[in-house]
Amino acid sequence: KKQKNQLHQPAMTKSAPEWTAMSKLVNQIFSRQDAEPFREAVDWRALGLFDYPQVVKQPMDLGLVKKRLETGFYKSVHDAANDVRLIWKNCMTYNADGSDFFVLAEAFSKRFEDKFAKLLKDHASAIEASKESANKSNEPSMADKHSFAKLLYRISKEELGKVINDLDEKCPAALSKNAAEDEVEINVDAISSGVFSDVNAYVRKCAGETGGRKKKASADSSANAKKSRKSKS
């Protein structure tokens, strides 16, 4: 039952003020007379633009953005904004600089960024609250943390080094450094949910590729993992 409620959550957040404002912004752009080239996916076959799929790897159009907003597809208004940006980027990538379509897309891009910046300012508190709520819903379970700690046994020293560097850059609070012994302790409980998702995916991938090779490490039941950075001589 809990999973069922979570599946409906994105559609529910669509009625929040920031989502209403985002939908209104996209609809305003869509309804402009000069937005006609961006309302639907480029029919490159009918237009004879047979190189279009090779140049534009991820097609996007305003109609699809509208549909995704209506169905609660996006996790944040920033995700929706990135799809809108992709529309202008694709157009400017395919069409020559200075061409009519390039200039039109460039103008739409500037207009959108101005209006989106105002939207973010007007709904800053609501967007931040939505972000915090999303982070809480993505909190890793104790089983996830324990699995992550165990997988640290199975990755190579080089791969471990990358994990430590990523944590040092994105979540330094999760590292306890012992300069005297050249050791770093990874406190899995202190890794933020967003960063955990990234490093966990990387470690899982590496563990599958390295065939279970173990490196010097320790992990306890509270999901703390210690790795030595000493090189064997």
Side-chain angles (χ1 to χ4, degrees), residues 22 25-26 29 60-62 65 69 74 78-89 108-109 112-113:
M22 189 67 195
L25 174 55
V26 172
I29 296 173
M60 186 56 59
D61 59 87
L62 290 170
V65 175
L69 283 168
Y74 298 112
H78 291 285
D79 291 340
N82 285 337
D83 268 1
V84 175
R85 293 181 179 117
L86 184 59
I87 299 170
W88 322 134
K89 179 183 177 183
F108 266 108
S109 177
F112 172 75
E113 293 302 336

Side-chain angles (χ1 to χ4, degrees), residues 163-177 184-199:
V163 172
I164 292 173
N165 287 337
D166 284 349
L167 290 174
D168 196 27
E169 179 183 340
K170 301 175 182 177
C171 191
L175 298 178
S176 297
K177 301 178 181 180
V184 175
E185 180 178 310
I186 301 174
N187 183 355
V188 181
D189 288 325
I191 303 176
S192 65
S193 57
V195 175
F196 180 86
S197 178
D198 292 339
V199 295

Side-chain angles (χ1 to χ4, degrees), residues 26-71:
V26 172
N27 283 326
Q28 285 176 343
I29 296 173
F30 186 93
S31 63
R32 287 180 60 94
Q33 187 174 354
D34 52 355
E36 192 275 334
F38 309 110
R39 290 175 188 158
E40 299 178 354
V42 174
D43 191 350
W44 54 269
R45 289 188 179 88
L47 296 170
L49 307 175
F50 298 107
D51 61 339
Y52 190 84
Q54 282 70 51
V55 178
V56 176
K57 302 299 183 183
Q58 188 178 350
M60 186 56 59
D61 59 87
L62 290 170
L64 181 55
V65 175
K66 282 184 62 179
K67 182 178 180 180
R68 287 181 170 184
L69 283 168
E70 291 165 1
T71 57

Side-chain angles (χ1 to χ4, degrees), residues 117-158:
K118 185 177 184 304
L119 183 154
L120 292 180
K121 184 178 179 180
D122 292 345
H123 301 279
S125 58
I127 292 171
E128 185 60 31
S130 177
K131 185 189 297 184
E132 290 178 3
S133 177
N135 287 339
K136 287 180 181 178
S137 67
N138 292 328
E139 283 282 341
S141 65
M142 285 304 299
D144 293 331
K145 294 177 181 180
H146 188 64
S147 175
F148 174 77
K150 288 176 66 176
L151 287 176
L152 289 175
Y153 280 101
R154 298 173 52 188
I155 64 176
S156 70
K157 183 177 179 180
E158 291 73 22

